[in-house]
Amino acid sequence: MTAQPASTQPHSSGTGFRQKHLLGIEPLHPTEITAILDLADEYVTLNRQTKKHGDALAGLTQINMFFENSTRTQASFELAGKRLGADVMNMAMQASSIKKGETLIDTAMTLNAMHPDLLVVRHPHSGAVDLLGQKVNCAVLNAGDGRHEHPTQALLDALTIRRAKGRLHRLNIAICGDVAHSRVARSNLILLGKMENRIRLVGPPTLVPSQFAEFGAEIYDDMHEGLRDVDVVMMLRLQKERMDGGFIPSEREYYHRYGLDADKLALAKPDAIVMHPGPMNRGVEIDGTIADDINRSVIQEQVEMGVAVRMAVMDLLARNLRTANEAG
Amino acid sequence: MIRLLKNAQLVDPEAQTITAGSVLIENGTITAILPVDATPANGAEVVDCRGKHLAPGIVDIGVKICEPGERHKESYKSAGLAAAAGGVTTMVTRPDTTPTIDNPETLEFVTRRAQADSPVRVLPIAALTKGRDGREMTEIGFLMDAGAVAFSDCDRVVQSTKVFSRALTYAKSCGALVIAHPQEPGLSAGAAATSGKFAALRGLPAVSPMAERMGLDRDIALLEMTGARYHADQITTARALPALERAKANGLDITAGTSIHHLTLNELDVADYRTFFKVKPPLRSEDDRLAVVDAVRTGLIDIISSMHTPQDEESKRLPFEEAAAGAVALETLLPAALRLYHAQLLDLPTLFRALSLNPAKRLGLDSGRLSVGAPADLVLFDPDVPFVLDRMKLRSKSQNTPYDTQKMQGRVLATYVGGTAVFAEGL
């Protein structure tokens, strides 16, 4: 691992990445995933230094367009852009033109006319970010679209696992909770599958539909069975609006059957790590003491890796953008 | 006016045959089926069909024309031109306009518009309940007097079983045909795709194909109660077919249709959220598609419709969940249906049984057949001409077709309504 990336020079680790946008994990080749993670490792080192600035995005404009509330992801993208020298602008789309009846495409074309280089988009509808990617000239990053994909979350999870476990293949990984409505679960399922891990989906059948078996995952509605001998326990957030009888009978029954507590975690491997994409509902899907247990929980590391992974992705997309511009 | 269409391959859906022959037309009616080399008497106009296929014109049940309300999407004129170019000689139009066609005055307005502008025949369907709200039935008797040939709330299911059973009972007393959209409304609410691996991968809200069978089961039970005349607009899943078969075997007055899109496309065609492939009900699995094609072959499913639904670009250039459903299909109905012929799944007489004969029979029309006494509503086509579809060349005001840029095979050469050529660009 080099101490600081000399960002004006192409890294050997970055040459395998050929995408114009990052719309999802699905279009990525395993070597591209590895390229992102290798570069992200270097940015982790940079971020731990007192002087954290790179210049990979110097002179570029990054616009964060969030059509859905987000504090953590937006902050992570903003920080990642700023650390690499981009001019970063945040737009809270809920409060702006959408309310005035402007369509998504019109908003995108308006922004496109301002010549951004990187457009980071979160949208409540699946496929909305793909649609934008077809209409604008700049690189588009999917920061979460509906229940489709959240690729940077899966990449930061992968980096966290690789650093904690020393590898990203042949691991038993349990993804637990509301898989049906989770873009995090989909992106992780695809990424971890591409890297040849065994994946279990654990949760009540109302939240883990059987068709997910067709992705090659094993499905468990008994969490004790689902966690037996796994290397990684990945918890998902249970949205408040799903708690009131529609999908599960009650919060307390859910916690009893599917909340991660010491008893259930004891069935996993002794060195199993616990992950959560945040924000957590303590006492709903995860016991507070487990979340805070520095020997088991890597939840804080996930946040740290998030910034590094987003720096790496934007760096790689910017390189491809420059190459494309030079090619005419 | 006497006209002889000679030297054609006659596709006869009644006899289920294709034979070489000629058709003699007098005063808009077929007056004789003659040998291929027939010579006309006393100065009839002769059209040489050059051995191409001549079939009864298509009777398309469930065409949406956006008058009144959204004429920028489709007018009687543009739809009529598209129909003529597609071999559709009768458009049976839907009442899901803005406002709804749910009273005799609105029905008379659209009838006048149709008569003034459409080169092909137009028969209107009226709403079954006022505003298609599923609460109060429309004036079924007056609407029939004004020319309504059927009653339907289109893609809205009459949720109250009580309201629907009363409407069916009343419609039966009038002899009216009720067209319904079999779908369990709770299960299918908000769905944009059919549940399965594809919908899960794309993260789209999805409905189980079972919702269609549940809707059909309810409607069949109500038919047993009321004895009404009923047509299911679109049967698109394998699971619904046994229920339909039993209902027919039990002697209920039930027929079923399906859409050309469900016969020729499947859920995977949506690919990267292509909204032109968003239809209602959503496209199904390949297994469902093949089961439905086979049901058309056996006659269990009676009718193929275009379910022509114009949408402007703005309604479609949206994230998939928000985008409007529906596709235009008047002009592509026959070329798309010929895919099933070229795939050797259906022969031409079977296709025209579902496109022309059965819908005409269901509505009590004397068209849809190639026999003496029938109106000379005809389509002349070449099933083999290849072309690549360019949606911008469609005659509809809206160009939301899923077949854009796709290779098609088979073109309409001429279309006759009452013996008059309303389209003849191919001759």
Side-chain angles (χ1 to χ4, degrees), chain B residues 59-63 91-95 123-129 132 140 148-158 164 167-168 171-172 175-183 216 218-219 223 228-235 253-258 303 305 307 358-359 362-363:
Chain B
V59 178
D60 191 2
I61 297 183
V63 176
M91 298 190 288
V92 184
T93 55
R94 300 201 318 242
L123 298 172
I125 303 170
L128 182 66
T129 68
R132 299 194 299 131
I140 293 175
V149 295
F151 294 82
S152 179
D153 280 358
C154 304
D155 61 348
R156 290 202 199 151
V157 176
V158 180
F164 194 44
L168 286 168
K172 161 140 168 104
L177 176 68
V178 174
I179 301 177
H181 183 70
Q183 196 71 218
L216 185 64
R218 180 197 76 156
D219 289 1
L223 294 186
R229 296 178 63 212
Y230 175 98
H231 175 69
D233 66 347
Q234 298 178 71
I235 294 297
D253 192 353
I254 182 172
T255 49
T258 193
I303 291 166
S305 295
M307 296 311 289
N358 284 345
R362 190 52 170 154
L363 297 171

Side-chain angles (χ1 to χ4, degrees), chain A residues 26 104-105 123 125-128 130-131 135 147-148 186 190 211-212 214-215, chain B residues 195-197 199-206 272-273 317-322:
Chain A
E26 201 193 350
L104 177 62
I105 300 291
H123 196 281
H125 290 309
S126 304
D130 288 59
L131 183 63
K135 303 290 176 188
R147 39 175 111 162
H148 177 221
R186 271 177 189 73
I190 298 168
Q211 54 254 29
F212 280 92
E214 292 183 50
F215 292 93
Chain B
S195 58
K197 184 183 178 186
L201 182 65
R202 286 288 178 270
L204 290 172
D272 291 326
Y273 304 101
R317 278 204 327 178
L318 290 169
F320 198 83
E321 280 172 61
E322 290 176 65

Side-chain angles (χ1 to χ4, degrees), chain B residues 217-228 246-247 250 252:
Chain B
D217 277 339
R218 180 197 76 156
D219 289 1
I220 288 170
L222 290 173
L223 294 186
E224 286 185 26
M225 251 169 75
T226 61
R246 277 196 305 278
N250 290 340
L252 298 179

Side-chain angles (χ1 to χ4, degrees), chain B residues 349-382:
Chain B
T350 305
L351 265 182
F352 280 91
R353 183 180 68 194
L355 289 167
S356 307
L357 177 64
N358 284 345
K361 269 169 112 172
R362 190 52 170 154
L363 297 171
L365 311 175
D366 48 9
S367 59
R369 62 204 81 202
L370 209 62
S371 50
V372 174
D377 291 0
L378 301 165
V379 53
L380 181 68
F381 67 100
D382 182 336

Side-chain angles (χ1 to χ4, degrees), chain A residues 57-326:
Chain A
L57 303 181
L60 301 185
T61 304
Q62 172 192 341
I63 299 182
N64 297 336
M65 256 172 109
F66 279 64
F67 293 88
E68 216 179 51
N69 276 333
S70 162
T71 311
R72 308 158 60 100
T73 306
Q74 188 173 332
S76 182
F77 268 110
E78 183 176 355
L79 203 52
K82 284 183 170 163
R83 288 213 174 135
L84 292 180
D87 297 315
V88 184
M89 183 169 84
N90 288 317
M91 299 189 64
M93 299 310 295
Q94 283 180 315
S96 83
S97 48
I98 297 299
K99 287 266 158 66
K100 298 175 192 162
E102 191 175 60
T103 68
L104 177 62
I105 300 291
D106 286 338
T107 307
M109 296 317 288
T110 304
L111 287 182
N112 196 44
M114 300 177 193
H115 298 291
D117 302 287
L118 297 156
L119 201 54
V120 179
V121 187
R122 169 169 288 189
H123 196 281
H125 290 309
S126 304
V129 184
D130 288 59
L131 183 63
L132 276 181
Q134 294 162 20
K135 303 290 176 188
V136 297
N137 302 324
C138 59
V140 175
L141 285 92
N142 184 356
D145 63 322
R147 39 175 111 162
H148 177 221
E149 282 229 44
H150 189 355
T152 55
Q153 178 72 43
L155 288 162
L156 75 88
D157 288 341
L159 184 62
T160 308
I161 294 170
R162 195 172 79 167
R163 290 171 68 102
K165 291 281 153 196
R167 67 175 196 271
L168 191 58
H169 56 273
R170 283 188 285 111
L171 293 167
N172 285 312
I173 298 167
I175 302 175
C176 310
D178 184 3
V179 173
H181 302 97
S182 173
R183 53 195 172 215
V184 176
R186 271 177 189 73
S187 286
N188 267 313
L189 188 56
I190 298 168
L191 189 153
L192 296 169
K194 278 182 197 276
M195 306 313 277
E196 299 185 0
N197 296 282
R198 285 186 70 171
I199 299 154
R200 302 176 182 182
L201 300 176
V202 182
T206 46
L207 296 177
V208 186
S210 58
Q211 54 254 29
F212 280 92
E214 292 183 50
F215 292 93
E218 296 165 49
I219 294 183
Y220 290 85
D221 55 17
D222 179 337
M223 193 164 185
H224 294 89
E225 288 306 309
L227 292 194
R228 198 175 295 281
D229 297 326
V230 297
D231 299 289
V232 177
V233 181
M234 199 179 269
M235 301 305 298
L236 297 171
R237 176 179 166 75
L238 186 68
Q239 303 287 336
K240 279 264 189 286
E241 60 267 25
R242 316 224 194 277
M243 291 180 194
D244 55 356
F247 291 86
I248 52 163
S250 70
E251 209 175 298
R252 61 183 189 178
E253 181 161 327
Y254 185 79
Y255 179 67
H256 176 70
R257 299 188 65 197
Y258 298 104
L260 186 65
D261 55 22
D263 285 349
K264 298 190 189 94
L265 185 57
L267 293 161
K269 281 192 185 154
D271 62 346
I273 56 169
V274 174
M275 306 177 74
H276 193 296
M280 282 181 284
N281 296 304
R282 288 167 187 262
V284 178
E285 70 255 357
I286 189 163
D287 179 84
T289 48
I290 290 177
D292 298 334
D293 180 353
I294 53 165
N295 295 315
R296 307 304 292 271
S297 164
V298 293
I299 295 170
Q300 293 307 313
E301 279 85 341
Q302 285 176 274
V303 179
E304 184 190 357
M305 295 309 123
V307 179
V309 151
R310 288 170 181 126
M311 290 166 81
V313 169
M314 289 197 286
D315 181 353
L316 292 169
L317 286 172
R319 290 181 208 181
N320 290 352
L321 204 61
R322 288 197 181 98
T323 313
N325 287 344
E326 281 159 20

Side-chain angles (χ1 to χ4, degrees), chain B residues 38-349:
Chain B
T39 42
N42 46 36
E45 185 196 329
V46 179
V47 177
D48 184 357
C49 298
R50 298 179 323 217
K52 305 303 184 194
H53 289 71
L54 189 66
I58 296 167
V59 178
D60 191 2
I61 297 183
V63 176
K64 167 87 180 272
I65 295 172
C66 307
E67 291 187 63
E70 295 175 302
R71 213 161 121 189
H72 67 286
K73 290 187 178 178
E74 193 80 292
S75 66
Y76 278 93
K77 184 165 195 175
S78 59
L81 291 171
V88 174
T89 50
T90 302
M91 298 190 288
V92 184
T93 55
R94 300 201 318 242
D96 53 343
T97 46
T98 318
T100 308
I101 302 170
D102 60 359
N103 58 70
E105 292 73 21
T106 313
L107 189 76
E108 279 159 14
F109 165 77
V110 299
T111 306
R112 272 200 312 278
R113 296 282 309 128
Q115 277 168 356
D117 280 353
S118 171
V120 306
R121 297 181 205 274
V122 176
L123 298 172
I125 303 170
L128 182 66
T129 68
K130 289 172 190 164
R132 299 194 299 131
D133 282 341
R135 286 198 291 270
E136 303 166 54
M137 69 179 90
T138 52
E139 294 170 309
I140 293 175
F142 280 159
L143 285 160
M144 287 180 82
D145 293 344
V149 295
F151 294 82
S152 179
D153 280 358
C154 304
D155 61 348
R156 290 202 199 151
V157 176
V158 180
Q159 298 205 23
S160 162
T161 306
K162 189 169 266 178
V163 170
F164 194 44
S165 69
R166 284 184 189 146
L168 286 168
T169 305
Y170 191 86
K172 161 140 168 104
S173 73
C174 301
L177 176 68
V178 174
I179 301 177
H181 183 70
Q183 196 71 218
E184 209 294 306
L187 207 52
S188 57
T194 303
S195 58
K197 184 183 178 186
F198 180 77
L201 182 65
R202 286 288 178 270
L204 290 172
V207 58
S208 164
M210 200 62 94
E212 182 172 292
R213 186 184 116 190
M214 292 168 71
L216 185 64
D217 277 339
R218 180 197 76 156
D219 289 1
I220 288 170
L222 290 173
L223 294 186
E224 286 185 26
M225 251 169 75
T226 61
R229 296 178 63 212
Y230 175 98
H231 175 69
D233 66 347
Q234 298 178 71
I235 294 297
T236 60
T237 60
R239 289 272 181 82
L241 296 172
L244 179 63
E245 195 166 15
R246 277 196 305 278
K248 285 188 165 187
N250 290 340
L252 298 179
D253 192 353
I254 182 172
T255 49
T258 193
S259 93
I260 189 61
H261 300 115
H262 291 90
L263 286 173
T264 53
L265 305 168
N266 70 28
E267 58 186 350
L268 301 181
D269 286 304
V270 170
D272 291 326
Y273 304 101
R274 295 192 289 176
T275 56
F276 280 13
F277 291 79
K278 183 176 180 182
V279 292
K280 200 172 174 186
L283 292 173
R284 308 302 195 180
S285 69
E286 180 65 0
D287 287 347
D288 276 332
R289 183 184 79 87
L290 290 173
V292 171
V293 171
D294 198 58
V296 172
R297 184 186 63 78
T298 62
L300 178 59
I301 288 180
D302 306 86
I303 291 166
I304 299 173
S305 295
S306 70
M307 296 311 289
H308 181 80
T309 305
Q311 298 290 1
D312 53 21
E313 303 286 307
E314 284 68 36
S315 315
K316 285 287 189 182
R317 278 204 327 178
L318 290 169
F320 198 83
E321 280 172 61
E322 290 176 65
V328 292
L330 280 166
E331 225 172 314
T332 50
L333 175 56
L334 185 56
L338 287 169
R339 284 185 170 183
L340 302 169
Y341 162 72
H342 291 295
Q344 298 180 332
L345 295 168
L346 300 176
D347 59 23
L348 292 174

